[in-house]
């Protein structure tokens, strides 16, 4: 984990929040590379669960919601963790995280546990009184449930269908840590999939497999993922069944995403508290019923950490260590780097033109500082899949070299084919199948 944290800091993926003031516990800022990668994760998710499907639509609901939402959802009553305090040093802990009844910091005696509600409370408007209290949402899901009818009426979707949302959630966690794994402000990618009650089991299995495959398709090693079923005693108050998709993080197996069968709990509760009829009418069977909901709920920040950790690699390289991120091209913050072999004017102008052209398609970096070897290493370390090198011969034959991050193989292609070749390779076309008349060589024997 230390290496990942250090790489993130050094290369501008993630910075401590408010760092010039000494930082704020467990709050992090995504830097120039981090924000690109985070956007790529969200885009890959949206593409898989909304764009490429007929049975899903998206939504973006507000963080502040009517306070009754949280009464109805059960969060005011149930969304709490058992809190204990050390009688000596007064540090506070989650009692269910402790193996014995001693303070992990000083070994002191602990108080009896009491339930601590995890929702952040604030006030709407200029008067701080109980009547104006609102909560920062602890999950994005409720924004979807309360819009179920709106979506049905405006999209004419029929069951089974789902609604997807990406957004911030807030939890006043008693203990945080492991970098961006557990924080008080984080982002979720949630699907609420509405199904006829009698089909809940098959949809539950479907979504567990679908979500596992999403991680694998984006490069996470299968052996670093596992499914863990929740025991009856750990099921959330709304869940009938739940599986965690766990990832083997540096601190051990931990939850990456939860897939829950929420049954009809949420729609029944919101119908009760709002007085609205949230039944669904099935035109084929002429029946009214409350749909069941299958919920795959993923964390953007945890996915970020897992993708980064899984991609991190160190290789011996001519007496040194080559650090590289084997990031899937869809997730890599920079897709292509343009590297002129020299800063000479005619070469620079040529390379800049290429850079301007490629930037219309992808996030591209231009780097002309230091030796070409060092520049390759800099790009390897941030996971850039392809470097395009321009040399003096390029001025004569209008060809450039594409160098691939993982294999370090290189091919020479005509400029007229550069965009289409990169496009194909970024989309996963068999890497380094030679274009007609092209040649391939290893980095050590290059130009
Ligand atoms: N709507 C269901 C729900 O919120 P959850 O298991 O509590 O379920 C879903 O949260 C996902 O949100 C988790 O699998 C995790 O990826 C992410 N998550 C939850 N709490 C988090 C925290 N404190 N910091 C970072 N991510 C968190």
């Amino acid at each position: 984990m230390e290496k990942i944290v250090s790489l993130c800091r050094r290369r501008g993926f993630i910075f401590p929040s408010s760092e010039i003031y000494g930082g704020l516990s467990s709050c992090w800022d995504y830097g120039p590379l981090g924000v690109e990668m985070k956007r790529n994760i969200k885009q890959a998710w949206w593409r898989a669960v909304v764009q490429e499907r007929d049975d899903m639509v998206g939504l973006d609901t507000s963080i502040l919601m009517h306070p009754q939402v949280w009464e109805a959802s059960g969060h005011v009553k149930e969304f709490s963790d058992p809190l204990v305090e050390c009688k000596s040093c007064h540090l506070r802990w989650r009692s269910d995280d402790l193996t014995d009844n001693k303070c992990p910091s000083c070994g002191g005696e602990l108080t009896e546990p009491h339930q601590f509600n995890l929702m952040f409370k604030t006030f709407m408007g200029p008067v701080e009184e109980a009547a104006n209290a609102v909560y920062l949402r602890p999950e994005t899901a409720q924004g979807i449930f309360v819009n179920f009818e709106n979506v049905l009426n405006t999209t004419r979707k029929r069951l089974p269908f789902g609604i997807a949302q990406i957004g911030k959630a807030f939890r006043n966690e008693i203990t945080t840590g492991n970098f961006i794994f557990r924080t008080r402000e984080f982002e979720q990618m949630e699907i609420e999939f509405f199904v006829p009650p009698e089909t809940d089991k098959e949809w539950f299995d479907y979504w567990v497999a679908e979500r596992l495959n999403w991680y694998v398709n984006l490069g996470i090693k299968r052996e670093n993922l596992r499914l863990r079923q929740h025991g009856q005693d750990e099921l959330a108050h709304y869940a009938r069944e739940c599986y965690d998709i766990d990832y083997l993080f540096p601190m051990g197996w931990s939850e990456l995403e939860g897939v829950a069968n929420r049954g009809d709990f949420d729609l029944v509760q919101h119908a009760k508290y709002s007085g609205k009829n949230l039944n669904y009418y099935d035109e084929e069977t002429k029946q009214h019923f409350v749909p069941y909901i299958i919920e795959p709920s993923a964390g953007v920040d945890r996915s970020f950490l897992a993708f980064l950790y899984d991609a991190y690699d160190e290789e011996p390289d001519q007496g040194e260590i080559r650090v590289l991120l084997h990031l899937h091209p869809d997730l890599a913050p920079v897709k292509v780097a343009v590297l002129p072999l020299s800063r000479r004017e005619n070469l620079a102008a040529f390379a800049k033109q290429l850079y301007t052209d490629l930037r219309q398609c992808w996030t591209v970096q231009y780097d002309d500082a230091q030796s070409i070897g060092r520049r390759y290493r800099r790009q390897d370390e941030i996971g850039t899949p392809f470097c395009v090198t321009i040399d003096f011969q390029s001025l004569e034959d209008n060809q450039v070299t594409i160098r691939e991050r993982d294999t370090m193989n290189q091919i020479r292609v005509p400029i007229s084919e550069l965009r289409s070749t990169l496009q194909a390779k970024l989309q996963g076309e068999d890497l380094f199948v030679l274009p007609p008349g092209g040649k391939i060589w290893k980095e050590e024997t290059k130009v």
Side-chain angles (χ1 to χ4, degrees):
M1 185 70 105
E2 263 169 38
K3 284 184 178 172
I4 296 289
V5 176
S6 146
L7 173 72
C8 284
R9 178 81 191 80
R10 194 171 67 250
R11 300 308 311 272
F13 280 90
I14 297 177
F15 307 124
S17 164
S18 326
E19 197 178 7
I20 59 168
Y21 290 98
L24 180 65
S25 163
S26 90
C27 293
W28 302 93
D29 296 341
Y30 286 80
L33 293 180
V35 70
E36 294 291 345
M37 181 167 155
K38 197 180 188 202
R39 277 161 50 99
N40 292 343
I41 292 171
K42 292 190 275 186
Q43 206 170 355
W45 184 85
W46 194 265
R47 183 179 163 152
V49 308
V50 181
Q51 187 185 325
E52 291 179 352
R53 296 183 66 107
D54 282 335
D55 57 359
M56 293 277 296
V57 291
L59 205 60
D60 184 4
T61 68
S62 64
I63 287 172
L64 300 176
M65 300 180 73
H66 194 291
Q68 264 196 300
V69 166
W70 307 108
E71 299 278 351
S73 69
H75 282 79
V76 170
K77 201 160 149 236
E78 309 272 2
F79 195 57
S80 52
D81 281 336
L83 173 80
V84 286
E85 185 175 328
C86 174
K87 291 182 182 171
S88 310
C89 71
H90 299 290
L91 283 178
R92 293 175 173 197
W93 308 95
R94 253 179 84 162
S95 65
D96 55 351
D97 277 349
L98 305 179
T99 41
D100 57 16
N101 204 26
K102 294 260 179 321
C103 172
S105 177
C106 73
E109 197 188 333
L110 300 170
T111 58
E112 283 300 308
H114 76 269
Q115 290 300 318
F116 173 77
N117 194 291
L118 300 182
M119 283 198 293
F120 276 99
K121 209 181 214 177
T122 185
F123 298 93
M124 196 94 156
V127 186
E128 291 195 8
E129 61 185 20
N132 298 334
V134 287
Y135 300 99
L136 303 188
R137 66 180 178 200
E139 60 173 11
T140 68
Q142 299 300 326
I144 297 181
F145 303 139
V146 301
N147 276 292
F148 172 64
E149 217 190 355
N150 285 337
V151 173
L152 258 191
N153 292 341
T154 51
T155 63
R156 293 187 298 145
K157 286 274 172 223
R158 311 311 300 159
L159 253 53
F161 81 97
I163 305 178
Q165 164 156 246
I166 300 177
K168 289 262 180 171
F170 302 83
R171 295 182 189 176
N172 200 2
E173 302 277 4
I174 297 169
T175 47
T176 54
N178 290 315
F179 196 25
I180 53 171
F181 179 81
R182 178 167 287 114
T183 52
R184 298 193 171 98
E185 173 184 346
F186 54 95
E187 237 176 321
Q188 290 186 313
M189 307 183 280
E190 297 205 292
I191 298 168
E192 306 302 329
F193 201 79
F194 302 87
V195 302
E198 64 282 4
T199 65
D200 64 336
K201 297 245 176 314
E202 67 197 74
W203 279 109
F204 184 79
D205 292 348
Y206 168 85
W207 276 110
V208 169
E210 197 69 9
R211 294 302 306 143
L212 257 179
N213 284 336
W214 184 77
Y215 293 104
V216 175
N217 291 340
L218 284 171
I220 298 255
K221 295 172 200 81
R222 186 65 188 79
E223 64 271 22
N224 288 341
L225 291 166
R226 74 167 189 196
L227 287 174
R228 191 185 68 83
Q229 186 174 21
H230 280 210
Q232 283 302 317
D233 54 339
E234 61 174 326
L235 281 176
H237 61 275
Y238 50 73
R240 292 170 163 248
E241 190 177 9
C242 185
Y243 273 85
D244 283 347
I245 298 177
D246 284 352
Y247 178 74
L248 189 52
F249 285 100
M251 64 282 186
W253 289 105
S254 311
E255 178 188 343
L256 187 55
E257 168 162 354
V259 184
N261 179 350
R262 294 180 77 126
D264 60 5
F265 178 85
D266 301 278
L267 291 180
V268 165
Q269 286 294 102
H270 286 304
K272 189 165 130 198
Y273 277 73
S274 68
K276 298 270 187 261
N277 178 359
L278 297 179
N279 282 356
Y280 174 81
Y281 178 63
D282 188 324
E283 277 147 18
E284 271 175 31
T285 61
K286 313 277 179 233
Q287 282 187 329
H288 293 268
F289 59 86
V290 182
Y292 273 27
I293 295 170
I294 307 301
E295 177 195 63
S297 172
V300 177
D301 313 84
R302 282 190 196 177
S303 302
F304 188 104
L305 188 56
F307 284 125
L308 209 57
Y309 184 64
D310 217 74
Y312 185 88
D313 200 5
E314 294 178 357
E315 283 180 4
D317 178 43
Q318 297 167 15
E320 292 184 15
I321 297 288
R322 175 167 96 113
V323 173
L324 74 161
L325 295 179
H326 296 283
L327 285 173
H328 188 287
D330 287 357
L331 304 184
V334 176
K335 310 291 185 216
V336 182
V338 172
L339 314 175
L341 269 193
S342 137
R343 282 182 172 166
R344 276 222 222 125
E345 207 178 306
N346 52 351
L347 205 63
F350 188 97
K352 282 261 164 68
Q353 182 55 48
L354 213 66
Y355 171 55
T356 308
D357 183 47
L358 295 179
R359 270 200 309 181
Q360 290 174 22
C361 307
W362 304 288
T363 314
V364 183
Q365 270 192 1
Y366 185 88
D367 188 0
D368 61 3
Q370 298 181 308
S371 74
I372 191 71
R374 279 184 174 248
R375 283 184 266 166
Y376 283 151
R377 297 298 169 269
R378 275 205 288 274
Q379 296 300 330
D380 291 341
E381 202 186 32
I382 63 169
T384 307
F386 300 106
C387 293
V388 174
T389 314
I390 297 103
D391 53 41
F392 287 104
Q393 206 190 328
S394 306
L395 299 176
E396 287 162 25
D397 64 6
N398 263 323
Q399 296 204 356
V400 291
T401 304
I402 302 177
R403 180 257 195 193
E404 203 265 335
R405 175 195 67 204
D406 295 350
T407 59
M408 296 194 280
N409 282 341
Q410 307 194 1
I411 52 167
R412 205 147 167 94
V413 293
I415 299 238
S416 56
E417 288 171 25
L418 181 61
R419 257 209 217 191
S420 57
T421 310
L422 285 170
Q423 178 78 50
K425 291 186 186 309
L426 284 164
Q427 284 179 346
E429 193 175 277
D430 208 1
L431 295 181
F432 293 93
V433 172
L434 288 185
K439 57 179 179 154
I440 189 164
W441 64 92
K442 276 292 206 188
E443 193 158 297
E444 305 85 69
T445 57
K446 67 169 178 40
V447 274

